[in-house]
Every structure is written in C-alpha cells, then in structure tokens.
Amino acid sequence: MSSSKPDPTTDPQADPHAGPKPKPRPRPNGGARPKSAAKPLLISAGVALAAVTLGLVSWQATAPADKDAGSAGSAPAAAPRSDTSAALRALARREPGDKLALGRADAPVVLIEYSDFKCGYCGKFARDTEPELVKKYVDNGTLRIEWRNFPIFGAESEAAAKAAWAAGQQDRFAAFHAAAYADGSKEKGFAEPRLLELAREAGVPDLERFKADLAGEQAAAALKKDQEEGYRIGVTSTPSFLVNGRPIAGAQPLGAFTAAIAQAEAAAQQ
C-alpha cells in the first residue's frame, strides 16, 4: 500500500469536514473535480445555454459555504428558472429497459446522478446515502435513480465506466456498482484484471461477453452520450445530481436529498 499523502480532491477520508481544494480555486465541499477541466461545454443554443448558466449557478448554490457546512445539515437546492427547470427535468430518460437505472419508469421523482468510480465522494454517497434513498423512496415507487457515467479522472475512470455499462447488459449493474464503490475498492485501481475481478464479484454470468461489451463500440457510445449531456448542462465535478431538474452539488448529507425529493414529489402532485 502506498504511503503517499491522501489526495483531498478525491478521498473523503483525508478530512471528514473539509471538501476538495483543487487549484486555482476551491470547489464545493463533497465534490471531486477533474485534474483538467479543459473539455468544452457542448452548447446547442437558447435553452441549452440557459441550462448551462443556471445549472452552474444552481450547483454552486447547493454547495456548503464553508468546511463545516457539509456536516451541518441540508443545503436546499436553488430553484432554476421555469424554462431552464423544464429543460433539466427533460433529461430524465425514463426508459423502461434502462440497464443503469433503478426504480419505476413512471416514478414521480427522478434523481439523475453524474458520477465517476474513482471519485471518493461518489463512493461515500453510494455507501452512506443511496441505500437509504432506495429503502425510503425507490422501494415504494416514489423515486427513480438514473445513473450517468461521467468519468473525469482519466483512462481508468473511463474503463470502469464502460465496465459498469457492460455489467449492466447482463443485469448486473447494481452489483458491479456496489463492488466498485465498496470501501477500499478504488485504491486497487481499475485496470482490466481488476475489472474482471469486479465482474466476477458482481456475478456477471458471461465474462467473455463482458469483455467484448467492455471493448465494444456500444459502450463507448453510451459513455460519450452521458459525458456530453453532463458537460452540456455545466457539470464539472462529481458527484452531481438533478432531482426533477433541481441541481444538488456533491455528496451532501441525507437530509439534502430527502428535502429535495419531498419538494419534487409535492410539485409533481400539483
């Protein structure tokens, strides 16, 4: 095991209260930023530009103001303008056969998650918060969770994203997700032998098909689709979320998500 100092931009254990602090300026607490944010925003026009602008402002507004805010309670999501909110809500795919989604396609609330398997804060959300949301809201039909692969930490991040997609083609995405985000998993890296080990752990039945899907054009196309969507609306760090179009930045406390879901459910019933 390496004795190097933990990287606070990706490791939530480095400081349980302080968020990532990449240069040139601090990022919101509970979110990891790529080493290079040079990729262009893919903007079409009109509402897309508004979505990027309001998305950035809204994600920043949901972040804690200081290092203690991440443990102090919920950070209410800023409400985007109505036209922009509609554009962001429309990103929910609600495809009944989506292999990377959990919950009913017609659930009143959809949580979209943009995440990276090498992101420590994404793992924190996956271990500490998401299981509670599943028990409280997915199981009763209130919430649908749609995953978006948004790798920002290089080749291994992209490989893990494709592997998750490949596992999903055999209905093992949830199990692969759990294995990849298990405590201590990301420290082992995501080279191909490790991805095969995770596939076995997830119970993927046909490993030859898994390897072919991992290297195939469909996995690359699915990854590109998710990435382009995230960059188009202004996602620059992971994890980032939309709850019926309302942004939440970072691995916020459970209360931030329950409040946003309650608001979205009430609005959907009106």
Side-chain angles (χ1 to χ4, degrees), residues 137-159:
Y137 298 110
V138 175
D139 289 348
N140 71 9
T142 299
L143 180 68
R144 175 177 175 84
I145 299 176
E146 294 187 357
W147 173 270
R148 303 288 191 267
N149 274 308
F150 197 73
I152 59 177
F153 292 109
E156 283 200 0
S157 288
E158 293 193 0

Side-chain angles (χ1 to χ4, degrees), residues 53 96 141 172 190:
T53 303
R172 303 306 296 167
F190 293 111

Side-chain angles (χ1 to χ4, degrees), residues 204-218:
V204 173
D206 187 340
L207 290 178
E208 290 304 313
R209 178 188 170 188
F210 171 81
K211 288 191 288 186
D213 285 341
L214 169 61
E217 293 182 1
Q218 284 184 290

